[in-house]
């Protein structure tokens, strides 16, 4: 049974930082691409960042230079370091995995963690 468990969300002031973690089980973590998506109220879910099994990374334009995705294969964990947070980063953040390696085609999802950035 696949489980992706996010942690690290919370309330932070604009300009602050948070680090999200996602612990995976039930998958061959090292061969999966791992991603962070987010969904704000009234908006579609969007891809924030992704990392391949070979450590190639993608960061969306809205977070480039502020967020950084990384992975720790021995710990089956993927991270999202978020710096210089803005109110528009407020959303539920979801961890996702793609066994195909395509970061835009996840096949497993976590339950989400809320990030709220106050102005």
């Amino acid at each position: 049974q696949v489980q992706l468990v996010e942690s690290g969300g919370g309330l932070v002031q604009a300009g602050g930082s948070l680090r999200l973690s996602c612990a995976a089980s039930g998958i061959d973590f090292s061969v999966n691409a791992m991603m962070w998506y987010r969904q704000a109220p009234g908006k579609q879910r969007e891809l924030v960042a992704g990392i391949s099994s070979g450590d190639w990374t993608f960061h969306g334009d809205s977070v480039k230079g502020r967020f950084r995705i990384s992975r720790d294969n021995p710990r089956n964990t993927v991270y999202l370091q978020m710096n210089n947070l803005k109110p528009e980063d407020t959303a539920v953040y979801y961890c996702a995995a793609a066994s195909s390696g395509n970061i835009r085609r996840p096949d497993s999802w976590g339950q989400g963690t809320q990030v709220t950035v106050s102005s």
Side-chain angles (χ1 to χ4, degrees), residues 90-103:
T90 295
V92 178
Y93 283 71
Y94 297 91
C95 176
S99 56
S100 67
N102 186 332
I103 64 172

Side-chain angles (χ1 to χ4, degrees), residues 37-46 87-94 114-115:
Y37 283 75
R38 69 185 180 188
Q39 188 165 22
K43 295 189 176 182
Q44 288 193 330
R45 193 172 294 190
E46 66 167 331
E88 52 263 42
D89 295 317
T90 295
V92 178
Y93 283 71
Y94 297 91
Q114 176 71 45
V115 171

Side-chain angles (χ1 to χ4, degrees), residues 60-71:
D61 288 342
S62 61
V63 306
K64 205 169 290 184
R66 300 187 298 122
F67 291 12
R68 188 174 72 89
I69 190 170
S70 62
R71 66 190 297 160

Side-chain angles (χ1 to χ4, degrees), residues 99-116:
S99 56
S100 67
N102 186 332
I103 64 172
R104 298 190 183 276
R105 293 186 178 273
D107 43 35
S108 301
W109 293 92
Q111 81 288 350
T113 186
Q114 176 71 45
V115 171
T116 303

